[in-house]
């Protein structure tokens, strides 16, 4: 009985490890982004209660690729959608980053929230 439990536990841990390695930003696994700080940029989605989340870790971006280089994607390359800013913060916390500071930029037609995150020690 204990042997079956251990085998099941190891199997489940393997599944969780593989699934978290599938999360990517700019085609890099989120756990392999070798930086101390990142910034989460959150904007409201049109006609939705959900938010758009982009990650800036200092990666090189260009005009033609647009937000593809800053968005969070699953293992199939599909954009991960977040319900709220707190949902995005919790996600990043689970992936090895902790909140440092936030600021908001208001314009006439939008509000953009910036969250500075630091890699956990």
């Amino acid at each position: 009985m204990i042997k079956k439990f251990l085998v099941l536990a190891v199997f489940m841990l393997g599944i969780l490890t593989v699934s978290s390695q599938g999360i990517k930003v700019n085609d890099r696994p989120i756990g392999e982004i070798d930086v101390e700080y990142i910034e989460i940029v959150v904007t409201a989605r049109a006609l939705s209660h959900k938010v758009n989340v982009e990650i800036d870790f200092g990666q090189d971006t260009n005009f033609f690729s647009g937000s593809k280089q800053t968005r969070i994607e699953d293992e199939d390359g599909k954009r991960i959608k977040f319900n709220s800013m707190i949902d995005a913060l919790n996600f990043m916390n689970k992936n090895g980053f902790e909140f440092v500071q936030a600021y908001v930029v208001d314009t006439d037609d939008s509000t953009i929230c910036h969250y500075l995150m630091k890699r956990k020690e």
Side-chain angles (χ1 to χ4, degrees):
M1 180 70 176
I2 292 175
K3 188 175 180 180
K4 287 182 181 179
F5 175 75
L6 288 174
V7 170
L8 180 61
V10 169
F11 176 73
M12 293 303 289
L13 182 61
I15 289 174
L16 291 174
T17 302
V18 169
S19 65
S20 69
Q21 289 177 350
I23 306 298
K24 298 178 184 175
V25 177
N26 198 14
D27 292 326
R28 293 176 65 185
I30 200 163
E32 295 177 14
I33 297 172
D34 189 26
V35 295
E36 185 73 18
Y37 295 96
I38 63 162
E39 183 178 48
I40 302 174
V41 181
V42 181
T43 55
R45 295 183 69 194
L47 304 173
S48 175
H49 293 291
K50 295 188 183 233
V51 294
N52 288 322
V53 174
E54 296 185 18
I55 302 293
D56 178 359
F57 60 88
Q59 69 271 41
D60 187 24
T61 58
N62 65 50
F63 178 77
F64 298 106
S65 294
S67 67
K68 172 96 171 113
Q69 295 169 319
T70 57
R71 70 184 189 186
I72 302 172
E73 298 177 339
D74 65 14
E75 57 275 357
D76 296 326
K78 294 180 184 172
R79 181 179 220 152
I80 295 176
K81 296 177 183 174
F82 295 94
N83 296 319
S84 66
M85 293 177 273
I86 296 300
D87 188 19
L89 284 172
N90 285 328
F91 174 85
M92 292 307 295
N93 186 269
K94 288 178 186 174
N95 283 281
F97 291 89
E98 62 186 348
F99 174 78
V100 175
Q101 179 180 336
Y103 64 95
V104 176
V105 176
D106 275 321
T107 63
D108 290 338
D109 57 342
S110 68
T111 299
I112 303 170
C113 300
H114 297 260
Y115 294 88
L116 180 61
M117 308 283 292
K118 180 180 179 181
R119 183 170 298 282
K120 292 179 185 178
E121 295 180 14

